[in-house]
Amino acid sequence: MSTDPENPPNLLLRRARADDARDVAALMSDPSVYAQTLQMPHASEAWWRERLAAMDKPGVELQLAAERDGRVVGLAGLHQPTPSPRRRHVAGLGITLAREAQGQGVGDAMMRALLQHADEWAALLRLELTVYADNARAIRLYERHGFEREGLMRGYGLRGGVYVDCVAMARWRDAPSHP
């Protein structure tokens, strides 16, 4: 992907690559970032390199990097939860942003890119996500883009020694009609 006039200045959205591993490891080492995900702290650059290399392939799944001034400040992805043909219309969605990139339109830009991929190229009808119930900023982002709350998942994830509730959210899009 390339720069877009709707995106914040100096922001490049593109497919994440294995050579982003150093920036991603640094991003995910920030306690304010990994505390809002299910990622474990202290993942190495080598681990991220392997994971990013495995995701760098065309298809329904997509892992985007948000790059600003030559540095990755966010990751966003669509991931199919199962290979079952009965759920091929579904993908999970996740967005992670560096603290300094939050509240600047980066999440909106990444969301628009993921939704365009889901709707126009991957034929996905249902997008699912979980978000910690106390992450009001992320919940507002998801709701602005058509996600609805489907339920509360009590004690869903361990964060700092405390079990934290998550909100299950999804966006449903009716199957497109033929022209």
Side-chain angles (χ1 to χ4, degrees):
M1 302 228 154
S2 60
T3 57
D4 179 333
E6 290 186 19
N7 291 342
N10 302 322
L11 183 70
L12 173 67
L13 296 182
R14 59 169 175 75
R15 186 176 287 277
R17 304 180 300 248
D19 63 0
D20 293 326
R22 177 175 297 190
D23 286 349
V24 173
L27 169 71
M28 294 300 198
S29 293
D30 180 341
S32 70
V33 173
Y34 69 72
Q36 294 300 330
T37 73
L38 289 175
Q39 300 295 325
M40 294 298 289
H42 313 298
S44 70
E45 181 180 334
W47 184 86
W48 276 107
R49 182 175 308 285
E50 185 176 312
R51 186 168 180 195
L52 291 167
M55 289 186 257
D56 188 10
K57 58 184 183 240
V60 169
E61 298 209 7
L62 175 66
Q63 187 72 32
L64 291 178
E67 181 182 315
R68 180 185 283 160
D69 301 322
R71 190 173 137 253
V72 174
V73 295
L75 285 179
L78 293 172
H79 309 284
Q80 289 197 292
T82 174
S84 171
R86 295 175 64 184
R87 298 241 325 139
R88 76 171 51 130
H89 65 289
V90 178
L93 181 145
I95 295 179
T96 303
L97 294 175
R99 185 177 9 182
E100 68 272 12
Q102 295 175 11
Q104 299 176 18
V106 177
D108 274 314
M110 295 186 89
M111 183 63 82
R112 283 191 308 272
L114 290 178
L115 296 180
Q116 180 183 25
H117 181 79
D119 295 347
E120 297 178 16
W121 300 104
L124 295 170
L125 301 179
R126 179 179 168 84
L127 300 179
E128 304 171 333
L129 61 88
T130 56
V131 57
Y132 285 119
D134 60 1
N135 192 343
R137 176 179 268 168
I139 291 169
R140 284 192 307 272
L141 170 71
Y142 300 138
E143 288 176 338
R144 274 196 314 271
H145 289 277
F147 284 80
E148 297 178 3
R149 297 172 194 230
E150 293 192 330
L152 181 68
M153 301 158 69
R154 307 249 340 184
Y156 184 81
L158 183 65
R159 180 175 68 189
V162 177
Y163 288 97
V164 183
D165 297 345
C166 274
V167 176
M169 300 181 79
R171 172 187 175 261
W172 175 257
R173 180 177 70 91
D174 289 331
S177 59
H178 295 286

